[in-house]
Amino acid sequence: MAQQNQTCHYNESMGFFYNNSGATDTWDKTQLILVRVVGSIFCCFILVSNSMVVAAVITNKRFHYPFYYLLSNLAASDFLAGIAYVYLMFNTGESSRTLTVKEYFIRQGVLDVSLSASLANLLVIALERYISVMNWKVHSNLTKRRVTLLIVLVWAISIFMGAVPSLGWNCICNISDCSRLAPIFSRSYLIFWSVSNLVVFLVMVVIYTRIYTYVKRKTAMLTPHTSGSINRKRTPIKLIKTVMVVLGAFVICWTPGLVVLLLDGLCTSCNVMKTKRWLLLLAVLNSVMNPCIYSYKDEEMWTTFKNLMRCIGNGTRRQRSTKANARALSSGQDTGNSQPPSEETKTDNQGILKT
């Protein structure tokens, strides 16, 4: 039996691993259609809105600061998540059983990279906010070079984390260690993945708790020495609130899924498959919420969004006008062959009539 378990099964389809783990990923047809329709609408919004966030940071010079560069990188990770969700939704249920091992690694790898990138971005943003708040500045003194290095580091770590299962930490050669939620992932890997992410959540909560207490104390110290209230737009408070809402949404949407992954790794008798589809939609909802939070909490971001939409609308109208003018010009050229009679022709005709 031990020898059989050590046999590698790289050439098997995912149906083999689902049967081995005892996982039933069957979907009711109505549920599957509903999830795909709702999920597709969400994913379209994710792709468009997060593209607008990146475009807003690029086009508006008021956003050319470390915080907004990191925020646009978070939007880029949400954009990747939107692509991953589309691929996942249309390769789930019975379709997941027909996937090859390589296709399954790609499906889960892209999703894991996007989650790791989102989490790493939030951690880097938390550290950037901590530096700025400790110096009581709206923006930190991080140079563009350092911000670029941080962004590169975020994606390097995220790609590595997403590739870990395909690099060897899987159960393809030890099927007795396979999980049910991800039938070719080892239970030990799921424990590592969920615990490490929950620890990062805890670290960020500690950082923002420290920031919040410092800001409260600093504000209490400054208030007696200022005439009127402190201008919050010129302090780090406003940006901190935006990030704390984003972090709160991330924790609420992802913690249930991480807990279920942890249960799948620790408990062999727990029924975790029933919650899988709804946790997927909850994760999709997080990427939908982030652009809404940016635009709601940041008036400048919302104004830039409106300007971008106005530019797109004006560009579309110009394109339609150009096409209409081109059609009118071409029709004029077509009818130009039947030109009106020249003056010489008119004179000749009048002479003939006189004679």
Side-chain angles (χ1 to χ4, degrees), residues 57 64 66 114 129 140 173 189 211 239 253 266 272 285 308-310 332 339:
V57 173
H64 291 183
S114 65
R129 287 294 85 202
S140 65
C173 298
Y189 173 74
I211 290 173
L239 294 182
C253 291
L266 294 173
V272 294
L285 185 62
L308 286 171
M309 288 186 284
R310 194 177 295 116
Q339 297 177 352

Side-chain angles (χ1 to χ4, degrees), residues 131-146:
I131 294 170
S132 64
V133 167
M134 292 300 114
N135 295 317
W136 201 246
K137 293 181 179 179
V138 177
H139 297 289
S140 65
N141 293 326
L142 289 174
T143 62
K144 287 186 178 181
R145 183 179 179 183
R146 289 182 179 179

